[in-house]
Amino acid sequence: MAPHTSRPRIGVSWLPAEGAAAHACVRAVRDAAGEPVPLLIEVDSWTESLPGLDGLLLTGGNAIDPRRYGEENHGLCRVVIPRRDALEQEAFDHCLRQGKPVLGVCRGMQFLNVALGGAMLQDLPITVVEHEQVGERSRFHSVDVLPGTRLATLVHVEGPLRVNSRHHQGLRAAHVAPGLRVTALAADGVVEGLEAADGRFLMGVQFHPELPGEVPEAAPIFDLLVARAQDR
């Protein structure tokens, strides 16, 4: 396929119309020379928007409905929005069929894992690592970036990387979907990064590279998302 002559269009999921332009993920796509396309929460379908997208960014936010990974909600999933799950599944499936790149951030990483048949923990125990934010502020901890992964290439690190953390759910290696491989781990075994094992640009990180200055090493993740969308 011939290269695009315009900025590649990256769908950014589940944003309110008011304030969408200022959302950190929208800014990150724009800074990477992409054209962010907010996929808004106020609509019942994204069907008309999906064909015009060149890539997809699944954002953070509320809990995934546990029924999507075969469990009941034990009261630990504080806010569940089934309509969001359905819309993001539709967008994810479209991009998978069309070979469009997908990046998931925090909940977005969890969602792409569940969408491919993986599972997760509804609530993480507090062990040697505390993952949940303090009010509106991120926590910070180290993760081990695994050698030979796309994440290691992008952040120029094999080994410890300091990341931000704003989640109380997560997954461990046993929960990872077929076709995905782990790219980063916290000290308590919580998965902090995933990517497609077959080389496609299907990638997720549990931390938030879109937040200015918090994980500056990870900014190239958005550059590669836009570049892969450009190359389609």
Side-chain angles (χ1 to χ4, degrees):
M1 183 177 290
H4 290 278
T5 56
S6 58
R7 291 157 64 100
R9 292 165 54 84
I10 308 297
V12 183
S13 72
W14 202 249
L15 300 185
E18 185 174 351
H23 192 279
C25 284
V26 168
R27 292 198 307 268
V29 169
R30 190 178 294 119
D31 289 347
E35 179 184 345
V37 179
L39 298 173
L40 302 178
I41 66 177
E42 291 88 355
V43 301
D44 294 322
S45 174
W46 295 335
T47 302
E48 292 184 3
S49 300
L50 298 180
L53 299 181
D54 301 303
L56 177 65
L57 174 54
L58 298 169
T59 62
N62 63 281
I64 299 164
D65 189 338
R67 289 176 295 181
R68 286 194 167 261
Y69 47 94
E71 295 185 9
E72 293 299 316
N73 188 345
H74 303 309
L76 302 170
C77 298
R78 301 165 192 172
V79 180
V80 172
I81 307 173
R83 184 166 63 91
R84 176 179 186 176
D85 296 338
L87 287 170
E88 290 191 336
Q89 184 76 56
E90 179 186 30
F92 179 77
D93 289 345
H94 166 83
C95 289
L96 217 57
R97 287 193 304 270
Q98 299 297 321
K100 300 176 181 181
V102 179
L103 172 63
V105 169
C106 195
R107 171 204 149 96
M109 186 198 83
Q110 298 166 3
F111 189 85
L112 66 85
N113 182 62
V114 170
L116 290 171
M120 56 185 295
L121 296 168
Q122 294 189 32
D123 195 52
L124 295 173
I126 297 176
T127 56
V128 293
V129 179
E130 292 187 74
H131 293 271
E132 193 167 7
Q133 69 264 35
V134 183
E136 294 302 313
R137 294 183 292 111
S138 302
R139 289 189 190 272
F140 291 86
H141 61 80
S142 180
V143 302
D144 184 30
V145 179
L146 303 186
T149 60
R150 177 179 282 128
L151 180 61
T153 300
L154 289 170
V155 301
H156 302 290
V157 171
E158 291 184 353
L161 174 70
R162 182 177 183 266
V163 300
N164 53 8
S165 191
R166 304 174 67 88
H167 64 107
H168 76 95
Q169 298 184 303
L171 57 138
R172 293 199 167 97
H175 302 108
V176 174
L180 296 177
R181 65 171 180 168
V182 175
T183 62
L185 287 167
D188 56 0
V190 170
V191 173
E192 294 278 342
L194 291 171
E195 68 185 22
D198 62 6
R200 291 176 297 167
F201 191 94
L202 176 59
M203 182 177 180
V205 291
Q206 185 62 70
F207 51 90
H208 288 268
E210 79 279 12
L211 295 181
E214 293 199 355
V215 194
E217 299 90 345
I221 292 174
F222 297 104
D223 296 332
L224 186 58
L225 169 66
V226 171
R228 286 295 178 91
Q230 182 84 47
D231 291 341
R232 285 191 63 257

